[in-house]
Amino acid sequence: GVGIMSSSDNAKKADKDQDEGEGGFFDKVKDFIQDIGEKIEDAVSFGKPTADVTGIHIPQISLEKVELIADVLITNPNPVPIPLVDIEYLIESEGRKLMSGTIPDAGTIEAHGSETVKIPVLLIYDDIKSTYGDIKPGSIIPYLVKVILHVDVPVIGRISLPLEKAGEIPVPYKPDVDISKIKFEKFSFEEATATLHLNLDNKNDFDLGLNALDYEIWLSNVSIASAETKESTNIKKQEVTTMTLPISFRPKDFGSAMWDMIRGKGTGYTIKGHIDVNTPFGHMKIPISREGGTTRLKKEDDDDDNDED
């Protein structure tokens, strides 16, 4: 006799059927009729598409703006393609709208297919700060992306699929910089070598992983150094990190301004440059600058602890 088999065994029994004579043949016919039945059922029943926000990326972030891209995966269970009429989206923080928009004619989802639609959102920090004065620069704010997909499904008609996903974005703050002192190791008419003590005050609620720093420094309006260092260090959140930068120049190229400066033991300076950093939200290149600061010049043999001069 023929044992009862579940349909999942079909594949396994397909080649055994040849020698099972009649029973095998009837099984085949039964399977065949069932297949046709499923196909007919498929053709007449239309189901709702499903959708999900699978991820949100930050491709670009700066002091001015942040770009978010929300990936929305839409699956069409139907035997015909389904047009996306439009996509409405809104991004809010703690119930307050940051921005919204609509993407018209966002394409078509193939029959029995699925597709990821990318929704780009651009947030301009000045707009956010001017709307909500209490959003503090340097802070990390929660956000919620809300998406409504409007699709036309045959037979069923137009339906709307609401989705949402939460995350966090920073409102980055430019670190304050200041040169606390310039310590000369060697000073002659021909060559001066010194170490610059640069303080970076990170007022953000997140660490900055420094990859590189480029800068130009002027003392008494004379440009004495410009360099790029590939120094990697962690600039801790809500802390001042001091970096030491070696510089060298030829005092004789600067004439009397340099000598006046050295004699005075203190001088006005300007520094401009960029820090290249990693943040928990992505990579950033942040400008740093300080104009009209004053710093102390120290010779190697000065007592370093005597900070009163």
Side-chain angles (χ1 to χ4, degrees), residues 74-78 109-115:
I74 308 164
T75 301
N76 174 14
N78 297 297
I109 312 302
E110 292 307 310
H112 297 297
S114 57
E115 196 158 330

Side-chain angles (χ1 to χ4, degrees), residues 36-56:
I36 297 248
E38 277 169 11
K39 286 201 172 68
I40 292 169
E41 215 172 285
D42 249 9
V44 293
S45 79
F46 285 90
K48 275 191 180 187
T50 55
D52 184 29
V53 182
T54 51
I56 295 178

Side-chain angles (χ1 to χ4, degrees), residues 58 60-66 125 129 135-142 168-176 200-210 233-241 275-286:
I58 302 183
Q60 218 188 345
I61 183 166
S62 71
L63 291 177
E64 291 77 38
K65 56 185 188 285
V66 59
Y125 290 120
K129 289 179 212 162
I135 290 181
K136 194 172 103 281
S139 60
I140 295 171
I141 59 171
E168 285 184 332
I169 45 164
V171 182
Y173 198 55
K174 187 169 112 169
D176 288 334
L200 286 164
D201 185 0
N202 178 12
K203 293 187 162 73
N204 291 292
D205 284 336
F206 48 92
D207 292 2
L208 301 174
L210 184 70
T233 185
N234 190 36
I235 304 170
K236 285 209 177 313
K237 62 180 181 183
Q238 303 294 352
E239 265 183 40
V240 176
T241 296
I275 52 173
D276 184 298
V277 294
N278 294 328
T279 76
F281 307 95
H283 172 259
M284 291 181 75
K285 191 165 184 176
I286 304 176

Side-chain angles (χ1 to χ4, degrees), residues 241-300:
T241 296
T242 302
M243 295 183 63
T244 51
L245 307 172
I247 58 168
S248 62
F249 57 94
R250 285 155 45 110
K252 70 173 187 187
D253 294 349
F254 299 109
S256 60
M258 183 58 69
W259 299 112
D260 295 345
M261 213 162 67
I262 296 299
R263 277 200 294 277
K265 285 218 173 181
T267 181
Y269 72 86
T270 292
I271 179 169
K272 286 182 182 174
H274 300 88
I275 52 173
D276 184 298
V277 294
N278 294 328
T279 76
F281 307 95
H283 172 259
M284 291 181 75
K285 191 165 184 176
I286 304 176
I288 53 169
S289 65
R290 174 82 188 268
E291 291 185 58
T294 53
T295 190
R296 292 168 302 134
L297 304 176
K298 308 195 83 169
K299 291 190 290 298
E300 188 63 289

